[in-house]
Amino acid sequence: MTVVTSTQSSTQPTRQHLKYDRLVATAQSLQKLKVAVAHPCDAASLGAVFEAVELGLIDPILVGPQAKITGTAQALGKSVATMRIVDAPHSHAAAERAVDIVRAGEAEALMKGSLHTDELMGAVVRREGGLRTARRISHCFVMDVPYHETALIITDAAVNIAPTLEDKVHIVQNAIDLARAMRVDPVRVAILSAMETVNPKVPSTIEAAALCKMADRGQITGAILDGPLALDNAIDLGAAKIKKIQSPVAGQANVLVVPDLEAGNMLAKSLTFLADADAAGIVLGARVPVILTSRADSTITRLASCAVASLVADVQRKQLAVPEV
C-alpha cells in the first residue's frame, strides 16, 4: 500500500475551476442579484451567502428564524447587521415567505438554505401563491469537468423523475435558455440514450428523434439538436468519428439531455466522484431562477450557482425592459 506523505500531497496540482471563474467574473459585471434566501440557519448555507456578498454577486434577503440566523452568523465571525432579515418561525414558513417576497417583486431569485429541497420546491410549485409558469419546472447541473474544454449542462437530474415527451420539450427549452444566458454560442444539445440509432424497443431513442424533429419545425428554438446519441459520441469527437456520425452536435455537445432522473443523477454523480467535477445547480421554468446548493458543495460551486442565476435574471430583466408592441 502506498502512503501519501505531506510532502507528496503538497506537490499535487491545485484544482482549477476556469469555467466557473469565467461565470463568476461575468456575473460580477452585472447588477447585483436580489435573492430571497430561505432558512439560512447553518454554517454552510449562511457562509455561502457571505461569500457571494463579498464577491458582489448578490444582495440577499434572509428569511427564517432571526435568532438562529444571527447566532449562526456570530458563530462564523460575521455580522448580518447590514442585511435585511424577514423573521419566519421554521423552515416551512421560511420557504413560503421567501416565495411571497419573490411574488411581491422584492427579489429576482430564490436560494435554498438549510432546509430540505422538497420544502422549498413545495412552496415554489404550490397551486395558489407559488411561482409556476406555463413552462415545466426542471433542474440543470452546470458542470465543471476537469480537462473538458467547456462547461456541461446536464438536465434533468433532480426534479422530473420520468418525464414525458411533452415534459422533455420544456426541459430542453429551459436548458437552451440557460445556455444562452451563459453566453454559450452555438448551443449544441445532445439527446442522450444508450445508443445512437433509433430503436423501437428503446423508447428514449424514439423520443430523441421526435425532439429533434420538433426543433426542425420550430417547436424548440435557440439551439442545434441531435439525438439519439450515446454519451461517448455526444462529447468525444473521436468516438463520433469511429461511429461515422456526421452531425454539428456529435462530439461537441454542451447540453446533455438525459432520458430520466435516474440516468441524470448517475451521470452527474459519476462525473463528480470519479472525474472530480463540480456541479452547480439551478432550477428553471419558475418565475425566477432557484439556486439549489448542497451542504457538500465547494465554495466555488456555491458561487457558480449564484453566478448562473444572476445571468438568467439579467436576461429576464432585459426582456421586461422591452415594451410590448
Side-chain angles (χ1 to χ4, degrees):
M1 182 175 69
T2 302
V3 178
V4 179
T5 66
S6 58
T7 303
Q8 288 174 312
S9 61
S10 66
T11 61
Q12 293 296 316
T14 303
R15 166 83 161 88
Q16 291 186 310
H17 302 84
L18 298 179
K19 294 174 277 292
Y20 280 179
D21 290 342
R22 287 193 292 267
L23 285 173
V24 170
T26 302
Q28 285 177 309
S29 69
L30 304 175
Q31 177 182 322
K32 285 184 184 178
L33 183 67
K34 296 178 182 177
V35 182
V37 188
H39 205 257
C41 296
D42 67 359
S45 59
L46 190 57
V49 172
F50 282 115
E51 290 158 1
V53 169
E54 287 166 7
L55 280 179
L57 294 175
I58 67 171
D59 179 11
I61 301 169
L62 309 179
V63 187
Q66 185 162 353
K68 280 189 177 181
I69 293 171
T70 303
T72 303
Q74 289 173 345
L76 290 168
K78 302 285 188 178
S79 171
V80 290
T82 59
M83 296 182 185
R84 178 184 170 191
I85 300 178
V86 176
D87 195 32
H90 46 71
S91 58
H92 185 74
E96 293 192 346
R97 188 72 186 93
V99 167
D100 291 341
I101 288 169
V102 170
R103 285 179 59 85
E106 299 173 45
E108 307 167 286
L110 194 61
M111 185 173 179
K112 176 179 175 283
S114 55
L115 75 172
H116 292 295
T117 299
D118 288 349
E119 281 185 284
L120 182 64
M121 293 310 300
V124 170
V125 302
R126 68 191 184 202
R127 292 288 178 184
E128 298 295 328
L131 299 175
R132 287 173 176 264
T133 67
R135 191 80 67 82
R136 178 83 178 181
I137 288 175
S138 63
H139 178 273
C140 287
F141 277 126
V142 179
M143 305 208 66
D144 185 338
V145 184
Y147 310 113
H148 192 77
E149 185 178 353
T150 61
L152 285 174
I153 295 173
I154 297 176
T155 190
D156 182 339
V159 173
N160 294 281
I161 297 172
T164 64
L165 177 60
E166 183 179 4
D167 295 337
K168 288 181 179 179
V169 174
H170 296 270
I171 290 169
V172 172
Q173 192 65 64
N174 285 343
I176 292 169
D177 293 348
L178 171 61
R180 293 175 68 85
M182 289 168 53
R183 323 289 172 86
V184 175
D185 184 31
V187 181
R188 297 185 175 96
V189 180
I191 314 297
L192 297 183
S193 185
M195 59 198 69
E196 63 280 348
T197 55
V198 177
N199 185 333
K201 295 180 181 179
V202 184
S204 61
T205 66
I206 298 172
E207 291 186 344
L211 289 167
C212 292
K213 179 51 68 176
M214 293 169 88
D216 290 343
R217 299 290 173 87
Q219 291 170 269
I220 299 171
T221 60
I224 309 165
L225 271 68
D226 196 14
L229 289 171
L231 177 61
D232 57 346
N233 47 57
I235 61 173
D236 186 87
L237 278 170
K241 288 177 181 176
I242 289 170
K243 291 293 183 71
K244 296 182 172 57
I245 301 172
Q246 295 184 353
S247 159
V249 173
Q252 48 191 339
N254 40 44
V255 176
L256 304 177
V257 180
V258 297
D260 53 34
L261 182 143
E262 291 174 305
N265 189 273
M266 284 185 273
L267 172 57
K269 286 183 177 176
S270 295
L271 290 171
T272 298
F273 290 97
L274 296 177
D276 196 27
D278 288 308
I282 187 168
V283 171
L284 304 161
R287 289 192 185 187
V288 299
V290 181
I291 303 165
L292 287 186
T293 56
S294 165
R295 283 174 292 181
D297 285 345
S298 64
T299 298
I300 186 61
T301 299
R302 295 174 187 278
L303 295 175
S305 297
C306 292
V308 169
S310 182
L311 293 170
V312 172
D314 185 61
V315 171
Q316 293 178 340
R317 284 188 209 113
K318 291 173 180 175
Q319 290 173 343
L320 289 172
V322 177
E324 294 185 6
V325 178

